[in-house]
């Protein structure tokens, strides 16, 4: 059975959930999590798994008002062949754009299968890269592909790739506001991480075609509404740091093929959805399947993964719930109970634990001294 066939078997009858930049950025931020690696590679909806296990999720949940606002803002920026975006590129970014061509890579009257869209995007972007035409071109709805864990992952970004001269720019349209020249730092950081995924995927595509990957700029155009209006403004984001981090973390990941060898051949994460899309599989049976693949939980997972609550419950009483820094400092110690016993002298350290035990006892001594000073 091929890798793709095995991944399809893991997913079962549930529809495939494609990757996007957010899921890839979150996966790369926790490269040691085998559970997320396999579920994402198989296109499994982690939200459905959490629902089947009776765990509430908040990741990716947006109000209908926020969704409508975002779609309305994007439609305004892209209206009339992206006339508003062209103005932003001229006035805010200072790009010498006289006129542009607009190319929608997912028109409604063509084959919309993802493989067809991918080939169409590759042909158009590669032809543009090889062209010396000075007129700019805006490519809307491109399908990109990135190698993750040895598997080709297709990304369906909602972005625009802008070609001017011999340089491509990623244009990322976001609905969070820039207030008095400042935006929410967390949202900007998230946009930079997602944009780095797009830049890396486009560079990989050009390199595979024998073209210069550096044609894709590491300066990303971020378009957001200004203040409380729906009036768009644009800023340049430097994503070199995010690119370096992303490449380093992707290189650290285990291959999907090697992970599949560790699993029983009949393992399936199929939630067995009913006609209304609700999981019907026995929760204990589903949990037993999920727990056969190890997770690497940290508190940050609650804001980045639909299974964060599931993995937190699984890790209750264990060192990882205290955070990544503590987990690294207490390497070799699994449970919080064991750490407390080592700190208080109730347990003698095993071979290899002496350095950590000394650290814990010093910390405990400092705690007792501080508490004694305020009594």
């Amino acid at each position: 059975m091929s890798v793709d066939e095995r991944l399809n078997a893991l997913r079962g009858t549930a529809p495939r959930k494609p990757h996007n930049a957010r899921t890839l950025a979150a996966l790369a931020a926790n490269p040691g999590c085998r559970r997320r690696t396999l579920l994402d590679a198989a296109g499994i909806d982690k939200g459905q798994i959490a629902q089947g296990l009776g765990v509430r999720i908040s990741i990716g949940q947006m109000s209908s008002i926020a969704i409508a606002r975002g779609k309305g803002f994007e439609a305004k920026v892209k209206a009339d062949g992206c006339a508003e975006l062209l103005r932003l590129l001229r006035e805010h970014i200072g790009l010498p754009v006289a006129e542009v061509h607009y190319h929608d890579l997912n028109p409604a009257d063509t084959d919309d299968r993802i493989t067809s869209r991918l080939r169409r995007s590759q042909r158009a972007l590669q032809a543009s890269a090889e062209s010396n035409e000075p007129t700019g071109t805006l490519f809307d709805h491109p399908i990109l592909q990135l190698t993750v864990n040895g598997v080709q992952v297709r990304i369906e970004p909602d972005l625009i790739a802008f070609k001017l001269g011999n340089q491509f720019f990623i244009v990322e349209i976001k609905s969070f506001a820039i207030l008095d020249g400042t935006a929410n730092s967390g949202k900007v950081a998230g946009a930079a991480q997602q944009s780095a995924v797009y830049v890396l995927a486009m560079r990989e595509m050009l390199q595979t075609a024998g073209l210069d990957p550096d044609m894709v700029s590491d300066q990303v155009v971020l378009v957001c509404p200004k203040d409380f209006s729906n009036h768009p403004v644009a800023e340049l984001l430097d994503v070199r740091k995010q690119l370096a981090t992303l490449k380093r973390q992707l290189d650290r990941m285990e291959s999907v093929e090697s992970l599949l060898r560790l699993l029983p051949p009949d393992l399936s994460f199929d939630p067995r959805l009913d006609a209304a899309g609700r999981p019907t599989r026995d929760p204990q049976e589903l949990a037993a399947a999920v727990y056969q693949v190890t997770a690497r939980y940290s508190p940050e997972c609650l804001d980045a993964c639909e299974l964060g609550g599931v993995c937190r419950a699984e890790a209750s009483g264990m060192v990882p719930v205290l955070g990544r820094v503590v987990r690294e400092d207490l390497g070799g110690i699994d449970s919080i109970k064991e750490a407390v016993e080592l700190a208080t002298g109730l347990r003698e350290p095993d071979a290899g634990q002496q350095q950590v035990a000394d650290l814990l006892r010093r910390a405990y001594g400092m705690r007792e001294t501080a508490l004694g000073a305020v009594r």
Side-chain angles (χ1 to χ4, degrees):
M1 186 181 292
S2 69
V3 171
D4 284 343
E5 289 171 335
R6 188 73 196 283
L7 292 175
N8 289 337
L10 286 177
R11 189 175 65 255
T13 59
R16 182 180 183 84
K17 184 174 183 180
H19 264 297
N20 56 40
R22 184 186 68 80
T23 62
L24 280 174
L27 175 61
N30 193 7
C33 185
R34 291 178 169 181
R35 184 174 295 166
R36 174 156 196 162
T37 295
L38 277 175
L39 293 176
D40 282 356
I44 293 171
D45 189 330
K46 297 184 294 297
Q48 291 176 349
I49 300 294
Q51 183 183 357
L53 295 176
V55 177
R56 290 187 59 187
I57 63 170
S58 59
I59 300 298
Q61 305 297 310
M62 295 179 62
S63 70
S64 57
I65 296 176
I67 293 174
R69 183 175 184 272
K71 289 183 176 179
F73 178 70
E74 181 184 341
K76 179 175 182 178
V77 173
K78 292 183 177 182
D80 301 322
C82 293
E84 187 72 4
L85 176 59
L86 179 59
R87 180 188 65 79
L88 294 173
L89 293 173
R90 289 173 180 152
E91 298 178 6
H92 289 254
I93 307 302
L95 295 178
V97 186
E99 59 180 26
V100 296
H101 300 305
Y102 174 76
H103 190 176
D104 189 349
L105 294 171
N106 187 34
D109 59 345
T110 59
D111 186 349
D112 64 352
R113 291 176 300 179
I114 190 167
T115 52
S116 299
R117 293 174 59 196
L118 174 63
R119 287 194 296 270
R120 189 159 60 242
S121 297
Q122 289 174 333
R123 286 195 300 267
L125 293 171
Q126 290 170 15
S128 179
E130 294 169 345
S131 171
N132 294 321
E133 184 178 1
T135 304
T137 304
L138 293 165
F139 296 95
D140 202 357
H141 301 113
I143 294 292
L144 303 176
Q145 188 167 265
L146 184 64
T147 303
V148 181
N149 312 98
V151 176
Q152 295 294 321
V153 174
R154 289 161 186 170
I155 313 168
E156 299 186 58
D158 193 9
L159 60 78
I160 289 177
F162 172 57
K163 169 82 179 328
L164 179 64
N166 63 349
Q167 194 86 71
F168 281 100
F169 294 88
I170 295 296
V171 179
E172 181 78 299
I173 302 172
K174 293 293 186 182
S175 60
F176 60 82
I178 296 179
L179 303 174
D180 295 325
T182 305
N184 181 290
S185 59
K187 292 181 177 180
V188 173
Q193 290 167 351
Q194 293 176 25
S195 298
V197 173
Y198 300 142
V199 171
L200 189 60
M202 276 199 68
R203 286 183 172 181
E204 182 177 297
M205 178 201 68
L206 293 180
Q207 188 168 23
T208 302
L211 300 169
D212 182 7
D214 290 334
M215 290 182 69
V216 185
S217 175
D218 48 32
Q219 300 283 315
V220 172
V221 181
L222 177 64
V223 179
C224 296
K226 180 181 180 181
D227 298 326
F228 295 102
S229 69
N230 215 30
H231 185 71
V233 293
E235 299 287 345
L236 280 177
L237 272 183
D238 187 335
V239 298
R240 284 177 295 180
K241 179 180 177 181
Q242 289 79 8
L243 270 172
T245 301
L246 177 63
K247 287 189 286 188
R248 183 175 64 252
Q249 291 171 330
L250 288 177
D251 289 340
R252 289 173 55 196
M253 289 185 184
E254 294 179 84
S255 73
V256 169
E257 187 174 6
S258 67
L259 294 179
L260 288 173
R261 296 194 197 103
L262 304 176
L263 303 179
D266 58 347
L267 181 65
S268 171
F269 302 117
D270 190 349
R272 298 170 192 162
L273 304 177
D274 61 16
R278 294 185 295 263
T280 64
R281 188 172 178 180
D282 178 72
Q284 291 185 339
E285 180 186 334
L286 181 58
V290 170
Y291 293 155
Q292 288 196 56
V293 185
T294 57
R296 186 175 174 82
Y297 174 78
S298 68
E300 293 86 353
C301 295
L302 295 173
D303 296 323
C305 180
E306 295 87 342
L307 287 179
V310 174
C311 300
R312 178 179 61 178
E314 182 188 17
S316 178
M318 307 303 286
V319 168
V321 301
L322 302 177
R324 291 178 181 171
V325 173
V326 176
R327 180 179 62 199
E328 292 170 1
D329 287 343
L330 301 185
I333 298 176
D334 296 323
S335 73
I336 296 174
K337 180 175 181 292
E338 182 183 2
V340 172
E341 290 175 348
L342 286 170
T344 56
L346 295 177
R347 176 194 289 260
E348 289 300 317
D350 297 334
Q353 290 184 333
Q354 188 63 55
Q355 186 175 357
V356 175
D358 291 342
L359 173 66
L360 286 168
R361 287 172 182 172
R362 286 198 301 272
Y364 182 72
M366 293 170 63
R367 173 186 180 275
E368 290 298 295
T369 300
L371 288 176
V374 297
R375 285 173 183 156

